[in-house]
Amino acid sequence: MANPIARPLNKRVLLMGTCLCDAFYDDTAKATVEVLEHLGISVEFPDNQTCCGQPAFNSGDWTASRKVARHTASVFAGELPVIVPSGSCAAMNFHGNLVQFEEKPDPAITSLAKRTWEVMDFIYNGLGIKTWPGKFEKSTRLAFHRSCHARGTCTGEAVRTLLASIENAEVVPFGEAEQCCGFGGTFSVTFPHISGKMGTLKLDRILDIQPDLLVGIDMSCLMHLSGLAQTQGRPVKHLHAIQVLRDTLP
Amino acid sequence: MIGNQLIDQYARNITDEKQHSVINGAAAGTEKRYQVLHKDYLDPDAIRKIAASIKDHTLHHLGEYLAKAEQALVSRGVNVHFASTDEDARQTILSILQGHGVTQLTKSKSMAAEEIHLNPFLIENGVECLESDLGEFIIQLDDDEPSHIVKPIIHKNRREIAATFLREGIAADYNDDPETITRRARVHLREKYMRAQAGITGGNFVCADTGRVALVTNEGNSRFGMAPVGVHIALIGIEKIIPQEKDLAVFLNLLGRSATGQQLTVYTEFINGPKSANQPDGPEHMHVVFMDNGRTDVLASNCKEILRCIRCGACQNVCPVYRQASGHAYRSTYGGPVGAVLSPILFGSRFPELADLPKASSLCGACNEVCPVDIPIPDLLLRLRDKAHREHVHSPAAIPMSPFATLATSPSLWRTAMTMSKAMNHLPIQVAPIKPLQDWLGQRTLPDSHGGDFRKWFKGHKKS
Ligand code: SF4
């Protein structure tokens, strides 16, 4: 799965906030706006947006998920780039939607796919910003969980490079980085036992390196991991990469 | 309701010992594969793409290449048979054996033979059938099932194997040193090899241009099994054809590295047909049985990419679900990611029974990332979930999605739900009368609701 290479650039963008940010993680969406504005980008938030439709898509109810996807495509219609602070929702737009519409392609869906950027990818590859002028007060060990939906996309490299360029930051690799955290949306509901074991293993590897901060690009993974960590009495501080960019700005 | 998916149940009930064997074996395989591929190639991804396109091309012209391979094989003195079902394949093999008066044979590891349950069938029909692969031999002794396509006994540890050898009288005393185990198996098997009249193998690749069959093993068992016998039968899926001999360069390099982290498997045989003037060694008769057994149906489906599979097992090794549940949880010859796609559609009539397999995945994509022929396994799993939904195949713990779709296509309703959820510190889904969701929520604490906060902030922010 790769994100399309030639996606449009513009000083104006549409923000797709994601349902998780809408419901829980408002600060992640806020950080997205603040960082983009800091970079001279004007951000619009179409008020009729809801969810990318992934829960229905992944559970196999494509009648339901196509309906949601069409709604999303109409909310984000036009020419402007669509910026998403989530690897997984971005991949739904530029990949999942194409799969569920492969038999009957829909121009609005195809257009949305071509205009969607995961936010870190947008900053790094779109705007060409390769170092971040941020600073941590003291030396900080970062564990970066490259979430699964960033496989085969340019996001992983973007995050690693930008984080590593922050003063006093050290991105420390941990073992079995290719393994999934076990969330997978409805998967964690229907396969609770396996999902929990996967999350515990992931946490083990992350905590091996004793990070000061766990950084992700999907609040869903972070919600799952931090929830488990909390229950297991080994809480871990966690932030979305875009929050790290904002918080370390002078 | 929650957790009544068979694979999740299996993972819950698996013994610690078995689980450790699987996780350790699989993780070691993943690590070795990565090291070897990246040591030898600057861009292993580019080679996977080439391999995928060769396979796709072949599958697209499968009829023509099969005919070409048949012609080439026949010209080398090989008898070629086509079997459209598993039953056809078993009967074809039995009649070949009967025609040659065979009552004892050795078999080297073959997933195709596993697929059609050849062993029990032959034994029922009075043919003694000895597994010559060490792993398969142990499976046979324990009356167990393989749980991995490359390492059939990945779920066992050496203590269990030593105990089996003692119990079966293969060893006079208990000794779990791996080298001793292998030596003892060797002594035991060698004597049986000598008595065998036929050897059955699979085939990793058949070159359409020359009819050469390429066969890889690490123990040399197939080679040894073919040396003393008069008849060699190769049972091969029709998708194993590659256009030209030179394509082997791509596939053999990828197969060893992906499967076991070896640059090349220890033994790679190129079989040219039976004994002839040019080739004074080997069996007098060679038969190739090309088996369809559902493959044509798969080729016509929207999951045809799975036929590119070269059975390396890398996707099993890397799969977090496979690691937790083991191959046995998949209840069919092929487990793990490859099996989750292949098993429900290859054995078409078993689709309703195996429709839960494609759901046992977080869609993490690790399988696609390691697959030497770049099969988009997560997409195929999704297509099969769609198929199950369209065909109304019952699925335990299914979460109804139409209420979600209604909410997610009604912006004002959605916004109200968000603000309400904040007021109640509850998401709309939290009050939905959906049992699995309720159970799930009962097991964990969600973060505090901030429903609608971002929208409110953004409006104020824009005004300022
Ligand atoms: S699907 Fe790919 S990774 Fe899995 S066994 Fe087949 S070739 Fe190997």
Side-chain angles (χ1 to χ4, degrees):
Chain A
M1 185 209 311
N3 34 11
I5 14 163
R7 289 157 296 174
L9 276 168
N10 202 303
K11 287 280 171 195
R12 271 173 66 210
V13 302
L14 303 177
L15 170 64
M16 178 167 164
T18 81
C19 60
L20 267 189
C21 289
D22 212 355
F24 299 115
Y25 298 107
D26 53 322
D27 191 57
T28 305
K30 212 171 127 188
T32 309
V33 175
E34 288 167 338
V35 168
L36 290 174
E37 287 181 349
H38 174 82
L39 296 169
I41 303 291
S42 138
V43 182
E44 287 164 33
F45 182 84
D47 207 36
N48 281 345
Q49 60 183 287
T50 55
C51 166
C52 67
Q54 238 182 128
F57 177 60
N58 288 353
S59 68
D61 186 347
W62 290 10
T63 313
S65 58
R66 283 195 196 103
K67 212 171 127 190
V68 180
R70 274 192 217 100
H71 170 75
T72 302
S74 76
V75 169
F76 290 94
E79 309 285 317
L80 295 179
V82 176
I83 310 297
V84 195
S86 153
S88 135
C89 309
M92 183 62 199
N93 279 4
F94 65 65
H95 182 78
N97 273 347
L98 299 183
V99 173
Q100 62 171 340
F101 282 92
E102 63 198 345
E103 274 165 29
K104 266 196 222 138
D106 176 321
I109 294 289
T110 316
S111 159
L112 179 64
K114 286 193 183 136
R115 287 181 289 120
T116 297
W117 296 82
E118 182 280 320
V119 63
M120 298 299 288
D121 178 26
F122 180 71
I123 293 171
Y124 186 79
N125 293 303
L127 302 179
I129 291 166
K130 307 284 168 173
T131 58
W132 192 249
K135 180 181 176 175
F136 281 104
E137 281 314 314
K138 52 182 185 12
S139 150
T140 306
R141 292 167 65 81
L142 305 176
F144 167 48
H145 169 54
R146 172 202 77 161
S147 59
C148 291
H149 279 99
R151 280 179 214 274
T153 73
C154 326
T155 290
E157 189 203 327
V159 180
R160 246 185 303 272
T161 315
L162 287 172
L163 290 180
S165 72
I166 295 173
E167 199 179 327
N168 284 333
E170 190 193 351
V171 183
V172 187
F174 51 85
E176 302 193 282
E178 86 290 343
Q179 290 289 302
C180 170
C181 72
F183 179 63
T186 48
F187 170 77
S188 71
V189 184
T190 35
F191 293 82
H193 180 81
I194 295 179
S195 167
K197 292 280 280 278
M198 284 163 68
T200 301
L201 274 179
K202 183 95 246 170
L203 265 181
D204 288 348
R205 294 289 84 76
I206 289 171
L207 296 178
D208 278 348
I209 61 157
Q210 300 185 308
D212 298 308
L213 184 61
L214 166 63
V215 185
I217 54 152
D218 272 294
M219 293 319 291
S220 49
C221 309
L222 292 178
M223 176 175 82
H224 170 72
L225 285 172
S226 63
L228 277 173
Q230 191 79 40
T231 321
Q232 296 173 5
R234 41 177 186 172
V236 54
K237 224 181 128 198
H238 57 281
L239 283 177
H240 190 288
I242 198 75
Q243 291 171 295
V244 177
L245 295 195
R246 179 199 57 193
D247 295 351
T248 56
L249 276 176
Chain B
M1 261 259 134
I2 192 163
N4 57 1
Q5 290 279 350
L6 286 173
I7 294 188
D8 202 54
Q9 270 174 31
Y10 203 97
R12 193 188 303 254
N13 297 331
I14 197 170
T15 63
D16 284 350
E17 196 174 32
K18 181 167 172 178
Q19 161 120 78
H20 285 152
S21 299
V22 176
I23 289 201
N24 293 343
T30 298
E31 178 62 18
K32 260 164 87 186
R33 170 199 165 274
Y34 186 87
Q35 296 301 343
V36 165
L37 268 172
H38 288 264
K39 179 165 78 63
D40 295 342
Y41 298 117
L42 273 180
D43 186 2
D45 241 13
I47 309 173
R48 301 191 312 138
K49 303 253 145 79
I50 297 172
S53 64
I54 298 176
K55 277 283 182 182
D56 272 355
H57 164 84
T58 320
L59 291 168
H60 197 74
H61 301 276
L62 191 57
E64 297 149 54
Y65 281 119
L66 262 175
K68 224 175 139 188
E70 179 188 15
Q71 212 178 16
L73 283 162
V74 168
S75 74
R76 288 180 183 273
V78 179
N79 295 294
V80 180
H81 314 256
F82 287 93
S84 56
T85 64
D86 52 348
E87 179 60 14
D88 288 347
R90 288 188 294 263
Q91 291 300 343
T92 305
I93 291 172
L94 183 63
S95 77
I96 298 169
L97 294 171
Q98 285 168 342
H100 291 285
V102 174
T103 53
Q104 276 189 328
L105 60 82
T106 60
K107 194 175 137 290
S108 74
K109 192 175 138 12
S110 151
M111 290 313 292
E114 287 295 335
E115 191 183 308
I116 62 166
H117 308 289
L118 184 61
N119 272 12
F121 169 80
L122 291 179
I123 292 165
E124 256 167 50
N125 285 279
V127 183
E128 193 191 330
C129 187
L130 178 81
E131 288 290 355
S132 60
D133 173 87
L134 181 56
E136 292 285 351
F137 174 58
I138 291 160
I139 293 280
Q140 195 177 31
L141 291 177
D142 284 347
D143 200 14
D144 198 352
E145 299 275 342
S147 72
H148 187 283
I149 57 182
V150 172
K151 295 170 274 188
I153 51 166
I154 192 169
H155 60 283
K156 289 183 194 286
N157 60 37
R158 58 200 163 95
R159 293 178 297 283
E160 294 167 89
I161 299 166
T164 298
F165 274 30
L166 187 62
R167 185 193 71 219
E168 296 291 320
I170 291 164
D173 59 353
Y174 175 94
N175 187 327
D176 61 17
D177 163 47
E179 214 170 287
T180 310
I181 289 176
T182 315
R183 202 162 356 96
R184 285 172 165 174
R186 182 185 146 105
V187 171
H188 178 85
L189 289 170
R190 185 162 288 243
E191 177 254 337
K192 299 228 176 181
Y193 273 126
M194 299 320 245
R195 282 189 284 143
Q197 302 147 306
I200 295 187
T201 69
N204 295 88
F205 306 98
V206 180
C207 310
D209 56 345
T210 59
R212 212 182 288 251
V213 178
L215 193 57
V216 303
T217 68
N218 267 323
E219 299 165 18
N221 49 321
S222 60
R223 184 190 189 95
F224 199 56
M226 262 181 277
V229 300
V231 188
H232 169 212
I233 303 173
L235 173 66
I236 304 174
I238 52 173
E239 82 285 18
K240 296 286 163 194
I241 306 265
I242 54 173
Q244 316 171 65
E245 244 171 30
K246 67 178 183 191
D247 299 326
L248 283 172
V250 174
F251 289 107
L252 291 175
N253 272 309
L254 279 173
L255 180 54
R257 286 178 175 83
S258 305
T260 44
Q262 293 164 292
Q263 289 170 312
L264 203 59
T265 33
V266 176
Y267 295 90
T268 305
E269 290 162 67
F270 303 101
I271 303 165
N272 283 321
K275 202 180 249 186
S276 69
N278 295 337
Q279 182 180 285
D281 291 323
E284 251 142 74
H285 307 278
M286 178 171 171
H287 298 260
V288 166
V289 180
F290 282 119
M291 177 171 75
D292 183 327
N293 197 27
R295 286 161 175 76
T296 312
D297 295 337
V298 175
L299 195 57
S301 77
N302 62 359
C303 291
K304 58 176 173 301
E305 294 95 331
I306 199 66
L307 292 177
R308 293 180 200 158
C309 175
I310 58 172
R311 308 283 190 267
C312 73
C315 59
Q316 301 185 314
N317 288 338
V318 83
C319 176
V321 175
Y322 173 90
R323 288 182 183 188
Q324 292 297 336
S326 95
H328 289 152
Y330 294 78
R331 318 185 306 278
S332 55
T333 308
Y334 304 102
V338 54
V341 176
L342 199 52
S343 298
I345 50 175
L346 190 56
F347 317 115
S349 55
R350 289 187 71 193
F351 183 73
E353 175 201 340
L354 297 177
D356 65 308
L357 267 48
K359 298 192 175 155
S361 165
S362 64
L363 303 170
C364 79
C367 46
N368 171 243
E369 199 169 52
V370 299
C371 176
V373 282
D374 196 23
I375 301 175
I377 295 177
D379 290 353
L380 306 188
L381 296 173
L382 282 160
R383 289 185 188 133
L384 292 176
R385 293 179 188 187
D386 168 53
K387 175 178 157 78
H389 188 262
R390 274 185 290 113
E391 294 174 5
H392 307 288
V393 175
H394 170 75
S395 163
I399 306 165
M401 282 296 159
S402 52
F404 159 76
T406 307
L407 192 61
T409 48
S410 326
S412 54
L413 203 60
W414 177 274
R415 282 189 295 262
T416 315
M418 283 294 161
T419 2
M420 262 171 53
S421 73
K422 168 142 191 215
M424 299 156 55
N425 198 14
H426 260 77
L427 268 190
I429 53 160
Q430 283 167 286
V431 287
I434 299 168
K435 179 81 167 75
L437 263 178
Q438 292 306 325
D439 288 343
W440 181 79
L441 289 161
Q443 285 183 341
R444 60 201 84 201
T445 331
L446 284 177
D448 283 347
S449 171
H450 287 227
D453 281 5
F454 172 73
R455 292 172 189 259
K456 216 166 120 199
W457 173 85
F458 190 80
K459 281 207 181 93
H461 174 75
K462 274 285 159 184
K463 277 195 205 121
S464 61

